[in-house]
Amino acid sequence: MKNKFHLIFAVLLAMAMPVLAALPADSVWQLNAKITEQNGKTISIQDLAGKPRLVSMFYSSCPFMCPLIIDTAKAVQHDLSVQEREKLGVLMISIDPKKDTTKVLLELMTKRKLNPNEWTLARADEKDVRAIAALLNIRYRELEGGDFNHTSVLILIDAQGRIIARTEKMGTQPEPEFLLAVHKLLNQ
């Protein structure tokens, strides 16, 4: 029985290794962290490899910048062809896991009319939120009253998890250089 277990474990490990081994050393998907999507499904951040993404961090009760981050990602999507749009996912990870439950995230998806085939709103435990933020060079701190100061940024990540471009210009008119990087990545 012990040998059978070791054989099964070795086969499973061998199946998983090509995915991790195929990721470059600077891939953000190398991080050992878990996120829970708005639908309640928990995945490893490594499961996101294989598709380019716009990535940011936010909190759902933010009255100012976080809605602008969402608007910016929507504006980028609006500038894409149908074929380009199908290639690009959007991932937003909450910096407020205490308040941003999966129910809250799902309500925000509905309120903002975000397509769940294109968008993922996620939460993680506080330790993983810190690790993800550090890896993405996003700074944040909680203020009295429950709001946060945080970096407002949209990051373009390729299918292998490498950071390709960043923009801190938020609004309905995305930064032209950022849009150019998105188009270039999606049309390689």
Side-chain angles (χ1 to χ4, degrees), residues 96-140:
D96 189 5
K98 289 181 234 159
K99 293 181 193 160
D100 286 340
T101 64
T102 54
K103 180 182 178 198
V104 169
L105 297 175
L106 194 54
E107 288 170 357
L108 182 60
M109 289 279 292
T110 302
K111 177 182 175 186
R112 294 302 309 264
K113 298 179 176 131
L114 305 176
N115 182 341
N117 295 321
E118 299 169 351
W119 285 74
T120 300
L121 302 184
R123 63 185 310 281
D125 66 32
E126 289 189 41
K127 177 182 74 68
D128 284 346
V129 168
R130 286 268 171 222
I132 294 165
L135 191 60
L136 296 174
N137 194 24
I138 294 176
R139 295 167 308 284
Y140 70 95

Side-chain angles (χ1 to χ4, degrees), residues 55-59 69 93-95 129 132-133 136 138 150-151:
V55 178
S56 192
M57 297 185 82
F58 79 113
Y59 66 107
I69 295 169
I93 301 170
S94 174
I95 58 176
V129 168
I132 294 165
L136 296 174
I138 294 176
H150 62 92
T151 307

Side-chain angles (χ1 to χ4, degrees), residues 129-167:
V129 168
R130 286 268 171 222
I132 294 165
L135 191 60
L136 296 174
N137 194 24
I138 294 176
R139 295 167 308 284
Y140 70 95
R141 67 183 172 99
E142 188 169 2
L143 305 172
E144 281 188 38
D147 284 332
F148 289 82
N149 275 346
H150 62 92
T151 307
S152 300
V153 63
L154 196 56
I155 303 166
L156 176 63
I157 297 179
D158 73 7
Q160 297 300 307
R162 292 176 296 234
I163 295 174
I164 302 300
R166 300 170 63 93
T167 183

